[in-house]
Amino acid sequence: MSNKPTAAAIPGNTIGRLSLYRRLLQELLAQGTRQVYSHQLARLAVSTPSQVRRDLMTIGFSGSPRRGYTISELLANIEGLLARSIETSVALVGVGNLGRAILAYYANRQPVRFAAAFDRAPEKTGRILHGCRCYPVSEMAEVIAREQIHVGVIAVPAAEAQGVADQLVLAGVRGILNFAPVRLHVPAGLYVEHVDLMMALDKVAYYAHQQVEQQDSSR
Amino acid sequence: MSNKPTAAAIPGNTIGRLSLYRRLLQELLAQGTRQVYSHQLARLAVSTPSQVRRDLMTIGFSGSPRRGYTISELLANIEGLLARSIETSVALVGVGNLGRAILAYYANRQPVRFAAAFDRAPEKTGRILHGCRCYPVSEMAEVIAREQIHVGVIAVPAAEAQGVADQLVLAGVRGILNFAPVRLHVPAGLYVEHVDLMMALDKVAYYAHQQVEQQDSSR
DNA sequence: CTTCATTTGTGAAACTGTTCACAGTGTGAA
DNA sequence: TTCACACTGTGAACAGTTTCACAAATGAAG
Ligand SMILES: NC(=O)c1ccc[n+]([C@@H]2O[C@H](COP(=O)([O-])OP(=O)(O)OC[C@H]3O[C@@H](n4cnc5c(N)ncnc54)[C@H](O)[C@@H]3O)[C@@H](O)[C@H]2O)c1
Ligand SMILES: NC(=O)c1ccc[n+]([C@@H]2O[C@H](COP(=O)([O-])OP(=O)(O)OC[C@H]3O[C@@H](n4cnc5c(N)ncnc54)[C@H](O)[C@@H]3O)[C@@H](O)[C@H]2O)c1
């Protein structure tokens, strides 16, 4: 296989921060700012100048020593990298409380397009929610192929998640964002990102409590 | 300050995995299983036996070479560590689409208790949603002190998030779980966890695309 | 043109987290 | 009681990430 120097497997943490930089740069640009220094971006991202420079170095972007980085160029660079020029089409499975909130949030929001939603319950299918048509699960393979969907978002109950993941994989999806509180097993090479609210809250609660204890013991 | 050996600052990744183990152990116990080996837990958590053993070593828990770990003891240990014996009381700010989904999800779910919700919109306050009373923002400081709330969950629009965070900090909260797509500035020592859906989707989209490209180029 | 202040780009160090490899150990079998 | 096995506990190697420190570059000012 021929390895282009461009496709050099950027680590996940860096991708996450680039996603954040993109939002910040979009805001700056909207405010009319043209140039930005690493320390400015770092302050906005609650990070360090070194980290910012290292990240931009990772994607091969260069600034000018006295002027900093040109926002429009940097933004184009990051967007090209994250979106790979074509808009990402996404499918949602599970149009419950969380699923509807997600659809509402991403409605008309670049650069992600929810091209289809799926639900098992007949009363949810057939409608259009926030610009996204809801299909019965039986049509999943067909719709995902037709709409060229490469990413699936799972928002079904925990017991259903693995089954839905299997269906998505079978339908040709390459990456999954999973909100159900179970770890999914997928074939090697496919990418799964877990968003686990219970875990997130446990983390906050743990460190918050630790704070309280340290405060108590230091008096 | 006297440093007890117990309060040895466990890394965030480990806390996250412990939270996951807890759920898995609860399920196993409900199924009537009494003992578990590191490789079994690892398979359920989509991890490795080494990782599991290292994590349990970090919290100072020991199993038996031939029998593995006693689930009830391990569970008690993890729960004691995460919850610190008292149930965590949490406040939600922003009862919109996401806020309501979160309330619905955590309703009656151990070990987190949503003790109060706050919203700026008068039509949302005064009611009880999923067992959680919704107050106007003006009562935040009072209610948070009264209910002994140490953790805040932010689900307001991005532009409002920093202001809400400041109010929560002022009210005495020690940790924040933030769903708004901005990085929060808080006084040193307080803990903030960001759940950034845009970032999560960007990551999945990036790696899914990379998959597609590698497949294309390897043919 | 030269100087100066400032910021970038980056090798290397420091740090953090994960995996390996195996000695140590409790258990059940004989 | 002794043996052999399968698993745990853990030091050490390894891998990945962040931070440091400074040479090189740039533009502005005199
Ligand atoms: N609501 C939250 O804030 C929240 C937070 C964290 C995690 N989660 C997780 O997200 C998931 C969904 O949560 P929710 O609150 O939206 O639940 P919900 O019960 O409101 O919605 C679930 C939806 O999935 C559909 N569904 C069930 N099985 C299906 C299947 N096999 N194929 C297709 N559709 C199916 C149901 O018809 C329903 O519409 C759960 O796993 C939950 O644990 C939710
Ligand atoms: N809906 C999602 O799935 C989703 C996903 C990712 C991120 N988010 C983020 O979560 C946040 C909320 O999303 P949403 O979809 O629920 O929005 P929403 O507009 O439905 O709800 C926002 C709620 O916050 C209240 N509010 C606004 N300003 C406030 C203030 N200063 N104090 C108290 N309450 C205030 C509003 O009255 C409203 O009820 C946003 O920042 C959004 O970017 C949402």
Side-chain angles (χ1 to χ4, degrees), chain A residues 10-12 16 19 22-23 84 106 189 196-197 199 202 207 211 213, chain B residues 10-12 16 19 22-23 84 106 189 196-197 199 202 207 211 213:
Chain A
I10 298 169
S19 169
R22 175 174 59 179
R23 268 204 311 263
R84 297 296 169 89
Y106 283 106
D196 191 327
L197 287 220
M199 183 186 287
D202 277 345
Y207 290 110
Q211 279 304 320
E213 279 174 20
Chain B
I10 298 170
S19 168
R22 175 173 61 179
R23 268 204 312 262
R84 297 296 170 89
Y106 283 106
D196 191 327
L197 288 220
M199 182 184 287
D202 277 345
Y207 289 110
Q211 278 305 319
E213 278 175 21

PDB file of all heavy atoms in Angstrom, chain A residues 10-12 16 19 22-23 84 106 189 196-197 199 202 207 211 213, chain B residues 10-12 16 19 22-23 84 106 189 196-197 199 202 207 211 213:
ATOM      1  N   ILE A  10      -3.431  10.903  12.678  1.00  0.00           N
ATOM      2  CA  ILE A  10      -3.367  11.869  13.767  1.00  0.00           C
ATOM      3  C   ILE A  10      -4.045  11.291  15.006  1.00  0.00           C
ATOM      4  O   ILE A  10      -5.124  10.737  14.899  1.00  0.00           O
ATOM      5  CB  ILE A  10      -4.050  13.178  13.331  1.00  0.00           C
ATOM      6  CG1 ILE A  10      -3.290  13.755  12.128  1.00  0.00           C
ATOM      7  CG2 ILE A  10      -4.108  14.167  14.466  1.00  0.00           C
ATOM      8  CD1 ILE A  10      -3.992  14.876  11.443  1.00  0.00           C
ATOM      9  N   PRO A  11      -3.409  11.404  16.177  1.00  0.00           N
ATOM     10  CA  PRO A  11      -3.992  10.836  17.399  1.00  0.00           C
ATOM     11  C   PRO A  11      -5.332  11.473  17.772  1.00  0.00           C
ATOM     12  O   PRO A  11      -5.592  12.643  17.483  1.00  0.00           O
ATOM     13  CB  PRO A  11      -2.928  11.121  18.466  1.00  0.00           C
ATOM     14  CG  PRO A  11      -2.013  12.130  17.891  1.00  0.00           C
ATOM     15  CD  PRO A  11      -2.065  11.959  16.409  1.00  0.00           C
ATOM     16  N   GLY A  12      -6.149  10.684  18.451  1.00  0.00           N
ATOM     17  CA  GLY A  12      -7.503  11.103  18.797  1.00  0.00           C
ATOM     18  C   GLY A  12      -7.590  12.378  19.615  1.00  0.00           C
ATOM     19  O   GLY A  12      -8.441  13.224  19.370  1.00  0.00           O
ATOM     20  N   GLY A  16      -9.597  15.808  18.556  1.00  0.00           N
ATOM     21  CA  GLY A  16     -10.558  16.473  19.433  1.00  0.00           C
ATOM     22  C   GLY A  16     -10.241  17.946  19.591  1.00  0.00           C
ATOM     23  O   GLY A  16     -11.115  18.796  19.482  1.00  0.00           O
ATOM     24  N   SER A  19     -10.982  19.957  16.506  1.00  0.00           N
ATOM     25  CA  SER A  19     -12.407  20.229  16.416  1.00  0.00           C
ATOM     26  C   SER A  19     -12.764  21.461  17.244  1.00  0.00           C
ATOM     27  O   SER A  19     -13.526  22.333  16.819  1.00  0.00           O
ATOM     28  CB  SER A  19     -13.182  19.008  16.907  1.00  0.00           C
ATOM     29  OG  SER A  19     -14.546  19.311  17.076  1.00  0.00           O
ATOM     30  N   ARG A  22     -11.435  24.617  15.614  1.00  0.00           N
ATOM     31  CA  ARG A  22     -12.274  25.028  14.506  1.00  0.00           C
ATOM     32  C   ARG A  22     -13.404  25.934  14.982  1.00  0.00           C
ATOM     33  O   ARG A  22     -13.630  27.009  14.418  1.00  0.00           O
ATOM     34  CB  ARG A  22     -12.864  23.808  13.792  1.00  0.00           C
ATOM     35  CG  ARG A  22     -13.838  24.233  12.707  1.00  0.00           C
ATOM     36  CD  ARG A  22     -14.325  23.074  11.904  1.00  0.00           C
ATOM     37  NE  ARG A  22     -15.007  22.084  12.740  1.00  0.00           N
ATOM     38  CZ  ARG A  22     -15.543  20.982  12.257  1.00  0.00           C
ATOM     39  NH1 ARG A  22     -15.449  20.720  10.972  1.00  0.00           N
ATOM     40  NH2 ARG A  22     -16.151  20.146  13.054  1.00  0.00           N
ATOM     41  N   ARG A  23     -14.087  25.510  16.030  1.00  0.00           N
ATOM     42  CA  ARG A  23     -15.186  26.334  16.545  1.00  0.00           C
ATOM     43  C   ARG A  23     -14.696  27.695  16.981  1.00  0.00           C
ATOM     44  O   ARG A  23     -15.302  28.722  16.700  1.00  0.00           O
ATOM     45  CB  ARG A  23     -15.851  25.635  17.731  1.00  0.00           C
ATOM     46  CG  ARG A  23     -17.004  24.766  17.369  1.00  0.00           C
ATOM     47  CD  ARG A  23     -17.930  24.602  18.559  1.00  0.00           C
ATOM     48  NE  ARG A  23     -17.210  24.246  19.761  1.00  0.00           N
ATOM     49  CZ  ARG A  23     -17.063  23.005  20.221  1.00  0.00           C
ATOM     50  NH1 ARG A  23     -17.603  22.002  19.569  1.00  0.00           N
ATOM     51  NH2 ARG A  23     -16.408  22.758  21.321  1.00  0.00           N
ATOM     52  N   ARG A  84     -12.769  16.181   5.277  1.00  0.00           N
ATOM     53  CA  ARG A  84     -12.308  15.583   4.028  1.00  0.00           C
ATOM     54  C   ARG A  84     -13.157  16.031   2.839  1.00  0.00           C
ATOM     55  O   ARG A  84     -13.653  15.209   2.070  1.00  0.00           O
ATOM     56  CB  ARG A  84     -12.312  14.051   4.135  1.00  0.00           C
ATOM     57  CG  ARG A  84     -11.370  13.500   5.166  1.00  0.00           C
ATOM     58  CD  ARG A  84      -9.941  13.825   4.786  1.00  0.00           C
ATOM     59  NE  ARG A  84      -9.018  13.542   5.861  1.00  0.00           N
ATOM     60  CZ  ARG A  84      -8.408  12.356   6.048  1.00  0.00           C
ATOM     61  NH1 ARG A  84      -8.624  11.378   5.226  1.00  0.00           N
ATOM     62  NH2 ARG A  84      -7.567  12.191   7.025  1.00  0.00           N
ATOM     63  N   TYR A 106     -28.423  19.261  16.126  1.00  0.00           N
ATOM     64  CA  TYR A 106     -27.652  19.265  14.891  1.00  0.00           C
ATOM     65  C   TYR A 106     -28.416  19.761  13.679  1.00  0.00           C
ATOM     66  O   TYR A 106     -27.858  19.870  12.590  1.00  0.00           O
ATOM     67  CB  TYR A 106     -27.111  17.869  14.598  1.00  0.00           C
ATOM     68  CG  TYR A 106     -25.934  17.502  15.442  1.00  0.00           C
ATOM     69  CD1 TYR A 106     -26.052  16.609  16.485  1.00  0.00           C
ATOM     70  CD2 TYR A 106     -24.692  18.085  15.205  1.00  0.00           C
ATOM     71  CE1 TYR A 106     -24.974  16.273  17.276  1.00  0.00           C
ATOM     72  CE2 TYR A 106     -23.607  17.760  15.991  1.00  0.00           C
ATOM     73  CZ  TYR A 106     -23.757  16.851  17.018  1.00  0.00           C
ATOM     74  OH  TYR A 106     -22.684  16.541  17.798  1.00  0.00           O
ATOM     75  N   GLY A 189     -10.693  -2.434  13.091  1.00  0.00           N
ATOM     76  CA  GLY A 189     -10.568  -1.437  12.035  1.00  0.00           C
ATOM     77  C   GLY A 189     -11.696  -0.419  12.088  1.00  0.00           C
ATOM     78  O   GLY A 189     -11.494   0.738  11.776  1.00  0.00           O
ATOM     79  N   ASP A 196     -20.365   8.318  27.547  1.00  0.00           N
ATOM     80  CA  ASP A 196     -20.928   7.634  28.691  1.00  0.00           C
ATOM     81  C   ASP A 196     -21.208   8.640  29.804  1.00  0.00           C
ATOM     82  O   ASP A 196     -20.325   9.059  30.544  1.00  0.00           O
ATOM     83  CB  ASP A 196     -19.937   6.568  29.157  1.00  0.00           C
ATOM     84  CG  ASP A 196     -20.541   5.625  30.174  1.00  0.00           C
ATOM     85  OD1 ASP A 196     -21.395   6.072  30.960  1.00  0.00           O
ATOM     86  OD2 ASP A 196     -20.143   4.451  30.185  1.00  0.00           O
ATOM     87  N   LEU A 197     -22.461   9.033  29.908  1.00  0.00           N
ATOM     88  CA  LEU A 197     -22.820  10.086  30.863  1.00  0.00           C
ATOM     89  C   LEU A 197     -22.616   9.659  32.300  1.00  0.00           C
ATOM     90  O   LEU A 197     -22.210  10.451  33.145  1.00  0.00           O
ATOM     91  CB  LEU A 197     -24.293  10.464  30.687  1.00  0.00           C
ATOM     92  CG  LEU A 197     -24.670  11.252  29.470  1.00  0.00           C
ATOM     93  CD1 LEU A 197     -25.683  12.307  29.828  1.00  0.00           C
ATOM     94  CD2 LEU A 197     -23.459  11.883  28.850  1.00  0.00           C
ATOM     95  N   MET A 199     -20.419   7.633  33.451  1.00  0.00           N
ATOM     96  CA  MET A 199     -18.987   7.720  33.709  1.00  0.00           C
ATOM     97  C   MET A 199     -18.558   9.176  33.913  1.00  0.00           C
ATOM     98  O   MET A 199     -17.810   9.485  34.842  1.00  0.00           O
ATOM     99  CB  MET A 199     -18.248   7.123  32.515  1.00  0.00           C
ATOM    100  CG  MET A 199     -16.768   7.079  32.669  1.00  0.00           C
ATOM    101  SD  MET A 199     -15.969   6.532  31.152  1.00  0.00           S
ATOM    102  CE  MET A 199     -16.371   4.799  31.166  1.00  0.00           C
ATOM    103  N   ASP A 202     -19.751  10.341  37.264  1.00  0.00           N
ATOM    104  CA  ASP A 202     -18.967   9.706  38.325  1.00  0.00           C
ATOM    105  C   ASP A 202     -17.617  10.404  38.489  1.00  0.00           C
ATOM    106  O   ASP A 202     -17.145  10.622  39.602  1.00  0.00           O
ATOM    107  CB  ASP A 202     -18.737   8.231  38.002  1.00  0.00           C
ATOM    108  CG  ASP A 202     -19.913   7.363  38.410  1.00  0.00           C
ATOM    109  OD1 ASP A 202     -20.756   7.848  39.187  1.00  0.00           O
ATOM    110  OD2 ASP A 202     -19.998   6.214  37.944  1.00  0.00           O
ATOM    111  N   TYR A 207     -14.058  13.766  41.838  1.00  0.00           N
ATOM    112  CA  TYR A 207     -13.101  14.854  42.061  1.00  0.00           C
ATOM    113  C   TYR A 207     -13.717  15.982  42.887  1.00  0.00           C
ATOM    114  O   TYR A 207     -13.016  16.632  43.661  1.00  0.00           O
ATOM    115  CB  TYR A 207     -12.545  15.359  40.722  1.00  0.00           C
ATOM    116  CG  TYR A 207     -11.633  14.355  40.086  1.00  0.00           C
ATOM    117  CD1 TYR A 207     -12.002  13.672  38.937  1.00  0.00           C
ATOM    118  CD2 TYR A 207     -10.402  14.052  40.661  1.00  0.00           C
ATOM    119  CE1 TYR A 207     -11.164  12.724  38.362  1.00  0.00           C
ATOM    120  CE2 TYR A 207      -9.555  13.105  40.096  1.00  0.00           C
ATOM    121  CZ  TYR A 207      -9.937  12.447  38.954  1.00  0.00           C
ATOM    122  OH  TYR A 207      -9.115  11.501  38.398  1.00  0.00           O
ATOM    123  N   GLN A 211     -12.161  17.238  46.430  1.00  0.00           N
ATOM    124  CA  GLN A 211     -12.018  18.650  46.788  1.00  0.00           C
ATOM    125  C   GLN A 211     -12.535  18.910  48.190  1.00  0.00           C
ATOM    126  O   GLN A 211     -11.853  19.441  49.044  1.00  0.00           O
ATOM    127  CB  GLN A 211     -12.809  19.530  45.817  1.00  0.00           C
ATOM    128  CG  GLN A 211     -12.108  19.811  44.530  1.00  0.00           C
ATOM    129  CD  GLN A 211     -10.767  20.439  44.763  1.00  0.00           C
ATOM    130  OE1 GLN A 211     -10.632  21.278  45.642  1.00  0.00           O
ATOM    131  NE2 GLN A 211      -9.758  20.029  44.021  1.00  0.00           N
ATOM    132  N   GLU A 213     -13.128  16.929  50.637  1.00  0.00           N
ATOM    133  CA  GLU A 213     -12.342  16.297  51.685  1.00  0.00           C
ATOM    134  C   GLU A 213     -11.041  17.027  51.973  1.00  0.00           C
ATOM    135  O   GLU A 213     -10.656  17.210  53.116  1.00  0.00           O
ATOM    136  CB  GLU A 213     -12.023  14.855  51.288  1.00  0.00           C
ATOM    137  CG  GLU A 213     -13.192  13.937  51.588  1.00  0.00           C
ATOM    138  CD  GLU A 213     -12.958  12.542  51.072  1.00  0.00           C
ATOM    139  OE1 GLU A 213     -11.790  12.191  50.829  1.00  0.00           O
ATOM    140  OE2 GLU A 213     -13.947  11.816  50.906  1.00  0.00           O
TER     141      GLU A 213
ATOM    142  N   ILE B  10      -6.491   9.208  42.276  1.00  0.00           N
ATOM    143  CA  ILE B  10      -6.593   8.232  41.191  1.00  0.00           C
ATOM    144  C   ILE B  10      -6.798   8.952  39.865  1.00  0.00           C
ATOM    145  O   ILE B  10      -7.592   9.888  39.791  1.00  0.00           O
ATOM    146  CB  ILE B  10      -7.770   7.278  41.485  1.00  0.00           C
ATOM    147  CG1 ILE B  10      -7.475   6.516  42.788  1.00  0.00           C
ATOM    148  CG2 ILE B  10      -7.993   6.320  40.335  1.00  0.00           C
ATOM    149  CD1 ILE B  10      -8.637   5.745  43.310  1.00  0.00           C
ATOM    150  N   PRO B  11      -6.058   8.560  38.814  1.00  0.00           N
ATOM    151  CA  PRO B  11      -6.186   9.243  37.521  1.00  0.00           C
ATOM    152  C   PRO B  11      -7.581   9.107  36.915  1.00  0.00           C
ATOM    153  O   PRO B  11      -8.291   8.119  37.142  1.00  0.00           O
ATOM    154  CB  PRO B  11      -5.134   8.558  36.650  1.00  0.00           C
ATOM    155  CG  PRO B  11      -4.728   7.326  37.372  1.00  0.00           C
ATOM    156  CD  PRO B  11      -4.982   7.568  38.807  1.00  0.00           C
ATOM    157  N   GLY B  12      -7.950  10.123  36.127  1.00  0.00           N
ATOM    158  CA  GLY B  12      -9.285  10.202  35.544  1.00  0.00           C
ATOM    159  C   GLY B  12      -9.670   9.006  34.699  1.00  0.00           C
ATOM    160  O   GLY B  12     -10.802   8.521  34.781  1.00  0.00           O
ATOM    161  N   GLY B  16     -12.894   6.537  35.305  1.00  0.00           N
ATOM    162  CA  GLY B  16     -13.866   6.222  34.263  1.00  0.00           C
ATOM    163  C   GLY B  16     -14.068   4.729  34.119  1.00  0.00           C
ATOM    164  O   GLY B  16     -15.200   4.247  34.048  1.00  0.00           O
ATOM    165  N   SER B  19     -15.992   3.228  36.973  1.00  0.00           N
ATOM    166  CA  SER B  19     -17.418   3.484  36.813  1.00  0.00           C
ATOM    167  C   SER B  19     -18.035   2.417  35.905  1.00  0.00           C
ATOM    168  O   SER B  19     -19.127   1.907  36.164  1.00  0.00           O
ATOM    169  CB  SER B  19     -17.605   4.882  36.229  1.00  0.00           C
ATOM    170  OG  SER B  19     -18.931   5.083  35.806  1.00  0.00           O
ATOM    171  N   ARG B  22     -18.200  -0.942  37.657  1.00  0.00           N
ATOM    172  CA  ARG B  22     -19.314  -0.978  38.594  1.00  0.00           C
ATOM    173  C   ARG B  22     -20.594  -1.441  37.912  1.00  0.00           C
ATOM    174  O   ARG B  22     -21.285  -2.325  38.414  1.00  0.00           O
ATOM    175  CB  ARG B  22     -19.539   0.399  39.222  1.00  0.00           C
ATOM    176  CG  ARG B  22     -20.776   0.406  40.106  1.00  0.00           C
ATOM    177  CD  ARG B  22     -20.944   1.678  40.859  1.00  0.00           C
ATOM    178  NE  ARG B  22     -21.093   2.815  39.953  1.00  0.00           N
ATOM    179  CZ  ARG B  22     -21.274   4.045  40.345  1.00  0.00           C
ATOM    180  NH1 ARG B  22     -21.297   4.313  41.626  1.00  0.00           N
ATOM    181  NH2 ARG B  22     -21.404   5.015  39.479  1.00  0.00           N
ATOM    182  N   ARG B  23     -20.884  -0.841  36.780  1.00  0.00           N
ATOM    183  CA  ARG B  23     -22.099  -1.247  36.054  1.00  0.00           C
ATOM    184  C   ARG B  23     -22.051  -2.719  35.676  1.00  0.00           C
ATOM    185  O   ARG B  23     -23.028  -3.457  35.832  1.00  0.00           O
ATOM    186  CB  ARG B  23     -22.243  -0.407  34.783  1.00  0.00           C
ATOM    187  CG  ARG B  23     -23.064   0.824  34.946  1.00  0.00           C
ATOM    188  CD  ARG B  23     -23.651   1.260  33.614  1.00  0.00           C
ATOM    189  NE  ARG B  23     -22.648   1.282  32.565  1.00  0.00           N
ATOM    190  CZ  ARG B  23     -22.013   2.384  32.169  1.00  0.00           C
ATOM    191  NH1 ARG B  23     -22.258   3.531  32.733  1.00  0.00           N
ATOM    192  NH2 ARG B  23     -21.143   2.315  31.200  1.00  0.00           N
ATOM    193  N   ARG B  84     -18.211   7.825  47.853  1.00  0.00           N
ATOM    194  CA  ARG B  84     -17.804   8.283  49.175  1.00  0.00           C
ATOM    195  C   ARG B  84     -18.954   8.228  50.167  1.00  0.00           C
ATOM    196  O   ARG B  84     -19.284   9.212  50.832  1.00  0.00           O
ATOM    197  CB  ARG B  84     -17.216   9.701  49.111  1.00  0.00           C
ATOM    198  CG  ARG B  84     -15.972   9.814  48.288  1.00  0.00           C
ATOM    199  CD  ARG B  84     -14.857   9.002  48.914  1.00  0.00           C
ATOM    200  NE  ARG B  84     -13.708   8.880  48.034  1.00  0.00           N
ATOM    201  CZ  ARG B  84     -12.702   9.740  47.988  1.00  0.00           C
ATOM    202  NH1 ARG B  84     -12.695  10.782  48.777  1.00  0.00           N
ATOM    203  NH2 ARG B  84     -11.695   9.540  47.170  1.00  0.00           N
ATOM    204  N   TYR B 106     -31.827  10.031  34.233  1.00  0.00           N
ATOM    205  CA  TYR B 106     -31.328   9.808  35.588  1.00  0.00           C
ATOM    206  C   TYR B 106     -32.439   9.649  36.626  1.00  0.00           C
ATOM    207  O   TYR B 106     -32.155   9.399  37.804  1.00  0.00           O
ATOM    208  CB  TYR B 106     -30.393  10.937  36.010  1.00  0.00           C
ATOM    209  CG  TYR B 106     -29.036  10.829  35.396  1.00  0.00           C
ATOM    210  CD1 TYR B 106     -28.638  11.671  34.373  1.00  0.00           C
ATOM    211  CD2 TYR B 106     -28.141   9.855  35.832  1.00  0.00           C
ATOM    212  CE1 TYR B 106     -27.381  11.567  33.804  1.00  0.00           C
ATOM    213  CE2 TYR B 106     -26.885   9.738  35.270  1.00  0.00           C
ATOM    214  CZ  TYR B 106     -26.513  10.602  34.265  1.00  0.00           C
ATOM    215  OH  TYR B 106     -25.279  10.485  33.699  1.00  0.00           O
ATOM    216  N   GLY B 189      -8.421  24.112  41.115  1.00  0.00           N
ATOM    217  CA  GLY B 189      -8.846  23.170  42.127  1.00  0.00           C
ATOM    218  C   GLY B 189     -10.225  22.613  41.852  1.00  0.00           C
ATOM    219  O   GLY B 189     -10.511  21.478  42.174  1.00  0.00           O
ATOM    220  N   ASP B 196     -18.487  17.008  24.811  1.00  0.00           N
ATOM    221  CA  ASP B 196     -18.547  17.817  23.602  1.00  0.00           C
ATOM    222  C   ASP B 196     -18.971  16.932  22.433  1.00  0.00           C
ATOM    223  O   ASP B 196     -18.169  16.207  21.853  1.00  0.00           O
ATOM    224  CB  ASP B 196     -17.166  18.427  23.357  1.00  0.00           C
ATOM    225  CG  ASP B 196     -17.208  19.494  22.289  1.00  0.00           C
ATOM    226  OD1 ASP B 196     -18.017  19.360  21.352  1.00  0.00           O
ATOM    227  OD2 ASP B 196     -16.424  20.455  22.389  1.00  0.00           O
ATOM    228  N   LEU B 197     -20.246  17.000  22.098  1.00  0.00           N
ATOM    229  CA  LEU B 197     -20.780  16.124  21.058  1.00  0.00           C
ATOM    230  C   LEU B 197     -20.187  16.404  19.693  1.00  0.00           C
ATOM    231  O   LEU B 197     -19.947  15.499  18.905  1.00  0.00           O
ATOM    232  CB  LEU B 197     -22.295  16.288  20.954  1.00  0.00           C
ATOM    233  CG  LEU B 197     -23.137  15.731  22.068  1.00  0.00           C
ATOM    234  CD1 LEU B 197     -24.375  15.084  21.500  1.00  0.00           C
ATOM    235  CD2 LEU B 197     -22.365  14.718  22.882  1.00  0.00           C
ATOM    236  N   MET B 199     -17.242  17.489  19.018  1.00  0.00           N
ATOM    237  CA  MET B 199     -15.914  16.890  19.014  1.00  0.00           C
ATOM    238  C   MET B 199     -15.998  15.378  18.839  1.00  0.00           C
ATOM    239  O   MET B 199     -15.256  14.793  18.049  1.00  0.00           O
ATOM    240  CB  MET B 199     -15.223  17.215  20.337  1.00  0.00           C
ATOM    241  CG  MET B 199     -13.828  16.693  20.457  1.00  0.00           C
ATOM    242  SD  MET B 199     -13.169  17.024  22.101  1.00  0.00           S
ATOM    243  CE  MET B 199     -12.901  18.790  22.011  1.00  0.00           C
ATOM    244  N   ASP B 202     -16.916  14.592  15.298  1.00  0.00           N
ATOM    245  CA  ASP B 202     -15.783  14.885  14.424  1.00  0.00           C
ATOM    246  C   ASP B 202     -14.766  13.756  14.461  1.00  0.00           C
ATOM    247  O   ASP B 202     -14.214  13.356  13.448  1.00  0.00           O
ATOM    248  CB  ASP B 202     -15.102  16.191  14.838  1.00  0.00           C
ATOM    249  CG  ASP B 202     -15.806  17.404  14.261  1.00  0.00           C
ATOM    250  OD1 ASP B 202     -16.616  17.239  13.329  1.00  0.00           O
ATOM    251  OD2 ASP B 202     -15.550  18.519  14.748  1.00  0.00           O
ATOM    252  N   TYR B 207     -12.100   9.260  11.688  1.00  0.00           N
ATOM    253  CA  TYR B 207     -11.563   7.901  11.609  1.00  0.00           C
ATOM    254  C   TYR B 207     -12.374   7.028  10.658  1.00  0.00           C
ATOM    255  O   TYR B 207     -11.815   6.163   9.987  1.00  0.00           O
ATOM    256  CB  TYR B 207     -11.470   7.274  13.002  1.00  0.00           C
ATOM    257  CG  TYR B 207     -10.381   7.906  13.820  1.00  0.00           C
ATOM    258  CD1 TYR B 207     -10.664   8.709  14.903  1.00  0.00           C
ATOM    259  CD2 TYR B 207      -9.041   7.731  13.462  1.00  0.00           C
ATOM    260  CE1 TYR B 207      -9.656   9.314  15.640  1.00  0.00           C
ATOM    261  CE2 TYR B 207      -8.034   8.336  14.186  1.00  0.00           C
ATOM    262  CZ  TYR B 207      -8.349   9.123  15.272  1.00  0.00           C
ATOM    263  OH  TYR B 207      -7.343   9.734  15.980  1.00  0.00           O
ATOM    264  N   GLN B 211     -10.773   5.178   7.401  1.00  0.00           N
ATOM    265  CA  GLN B 211     -11.074   3.802   7.020  1.00  0.00           C
ATOM    266  C   GLN B 211     -11.405   3.710   5.539  1.00  0.00           C
ATOM    267  O   GLN B 211     -10.807   2.939   4.808  1.00  0.00           O
ATOM    268  CB  GLN B 211     -12.295   3.299   7.805  1.00  0.00           C
ATOM    269  CG  GLN B 211     -11.973   2.819   9.189  1.00  0.00           C
ATOM    270  CD  GLN B 211     -10.911   1.762   9.180  1.00  0.00           C
ATOM    271  OE1 GLN B 211     -10.932   0.899   8.313  1.00  0.00           O
ATOM    272  NE2 GLN B 211      -9.964   1.833  10.074  1.00  0.00           N
ATOM    273  N   GLU B 213     -10.816   5.694   3.116  1.00  0.00           N
ATOM    274  CA  GLU B 213      -9.685   5.995   2.234  1.00  0.00           C
ATOM    275  C   GLU B 213      -8.702   4.842   2.150  1.00  0.00           C
ATOM    276  O   GLU B 213      -8.220   4.499   1.079  1.00  0.00           O
ATOM    277  CB  GLU B 213      -8.956   7.243   2.723  1.00  0.00           C
ATOM    278  CG  GLU B 213      -9.650   8.505   2.250  1.00  0.00           C
ATOM    279  CD  GLU B 213      -9.021   9.752   2.831  1.00  0.00           C
ATOM    280  OE1 GLU B 213      -7.864   9.686   3.244  1.00  0.00           O
ATOM    281  OE2 GLU B 213      -9.713  10.785   2.855  1.00  0.00           O
TER     282      GLU B 213
END
